[in-house]
Amino acid sequence: MQERQLRETLANLPLADILYFDALDSTNERGLQLAAAGAAEYTLLVAKSQTAGRGRFARKWVTQPGASLAFSLILHPYPQERQHMSLFSPLGALAVCAAVADTCNIPTAVKWPNDVLLDGKKTAGVLAETAWDGDTCKGLVLGIGVNLLPISVPPATDVLFPATCVQSHCDSLIQADLFLKSIFSHLIQLRPLISTGEFIQKYQHHLSYLGEQITLTGTAGEAISGEMLGITLKGELRLQLADGKEAIFAAGDVSLRPT
Ligand code: BT5
């Protein structure tokens, strides 16, 4: 993706600024620094390559120059959205799903809470982080990484979950700049729904493993198995345990694996 082409493609979108980097440690890391320094809502950071791209729980995210999309968007959640901060990560995932649907004839699914799956394999990941000044939230940084072309897919030995890329499921040629434009356009369309039940309905509609047996792994490595019942209004996972009781898990506490 050439910088000039990207700027032309994104020219008419309501972005405050477009910061393009040939190489960067992490667009989320730089986004957090800029948010803390007062960067405006819808400042976009795009990197061709990342040397320290990251996922949740400090996991590594692989960005392949020329084949992956890696960007972060600075948001300043409105007061009514602040009750729903945990839904920004799914917002990013649903925007990626909608961008895939614009281009390809393949069903998309969200693996709770932040992965986009095509044919059951991970093609995109979302990382929402917040910048704080004491008790004041200085902004939310929504980072999205998408595998576009086949060489962006890391070897199976390097990933916790099977991976794929968008191009492998599409006949038409995927162009990074247009794909980013589509994600952003869907994101701003979906964002007003975040504080409504309609958002949860859309989220649940895309949820993979609904009604299936799954295993959650807690931060201490403990495994919790049960049937996925759905998600709560806050985006927490509802699980029916072996004893028939329902348990609720927040995204920051557990990782999900199909059983
Ligand atoms: C995520 O975390 O999936 C969130 C990834 C967010 C990346 C974007 S890129 C732009 C912005 N800047 C950043 O520094 N980050 C964001 P998580 O659910 O924790 O998944 C991480 C796991 O995904 C790793 O441990 C690997 O197993 C796997 N993985 C790493 N790179 C991958 C890739 N390119 N494709 C598929 N899986 C990958």
Side-chain angles (χ1 to χ4, degrees):
M1 177 172 46
Q2 300 301 320
E3 180 178 358
R4 216 182 87 200
Q5 186 188 343
L6 178 73
R7 288 187 185 280
E8 277 173 18
T9 302
L10 304 183
N12 294 322
L13 299 178
L15 289 162
D17 202 357
I18 301 170
L19 306 172
Y20 180 90
F21 304 88
D22 275 326
L24 191 64
D25 49 357
S26 150
T27 55
N28 260 44
E29 184 59 32
R30 184 64 67 92
L32 285 172
Q33 291 162 3
L34 291 174
E41 161 130 311
Y42 291 150
T43 297
L44 174 71
L45 299 93
V46 185
K48 193 168 172 186
S49 72
Q50 295 188 111
T51 52
R54 63 182 181 228
R56 300 183 308 138
F57 308 114
R59 292 176 191 141
K60 191 175 165 206
W61 179 260
V62 179
T63 304
Q64 186 69 40
S68 309
L69 191 57
F71 68 93
S72 299
L73 202 55
I74 296 176
L75 306 174
H76 291 290
Y78 314 129
Q80 70 271 27
E81 291 176 330
R82 289 191 204 134
Q83 330 292 325
H84 306 278
M85 295 291 268
S86 56
L87 295 180
F88 277 94
S89 189
L91 171 71
L94 288 177
V96 174
C97 289
V100 172
D102 272 354
T103 335
C104 320
N105 186 20
I106 176 157
T108 53
V110 178
K111 175 172 160 286
W112 179 85
N114 66 322
D115 294 343
V116 176
L117 306 185
L118 298 182
D119 194 21
K121 297 178 199 134
K122 180 162 173 171
T123 198
V126 183
L127 179 66
E129 298 180 292
T130 34
W132 292 93
D133 180 8
D135 287 347
T136 310
C137 177
K138 300 285 285 180
L140 181 141
V141 178
L142 191 60
I144 300 184
V146 189
N147 299 332
L148 295 180
L149 305 183
I151 56 161
S152 65
V153 180
T157 46
D158 292 0
V159 290
L160 297 165
F161 191 83
T164 188
C165 70
V166 182
Q167 188 65 75
S168 294
H169 305 275
C170 287
D171 293 332
S172 55
L173 187 69
I174 302 298
Q175 287 176 256
D177 55 329
L178 294 175
F179 201 75
L180 199 168
K181 180 180 180 180
S182 178
I183 295 174
F184 179 75
S185 304
H186 285 292
L187 201 138
I188 54 175
Q189 276 171 35
L190 287 167
R191 186 176 173 187
L193 301 183
I194 213 168
S195 43
T196 71
E198 195 182 337
F199 183 84
I200 299 295
Q201 274 172 17
K202 276 189 189 290
Y203 185 8
Q204 198 146 277
H205 178 72
H206 280 86
L207 209 55
S208 54
Y209 317 122
L210 195 61
E212 295 178 23
Q213 288 293 317
I214 56 159
T215 300
L216 302 177
T217 311
T219 39
E222 74 282 16
I224 310 140
S225 295
E227 181 189 325
M228 191 197 280
L229 298 176
I231 43 175
T232 68
L233 289 175
K234 289 185 188 158
E236 300 148 323
L237 192 73
R238 295 173 50 219
L239 198 67
Q240 184 160 42
L241 304 173
D243 63 6
K245 289 191 182 133
E246 184 177 328
I248 285 174
F249 297 91
D253 300 340
V254 285
S255 292
L256 184 162
R257 297 283 169 268
T259 300

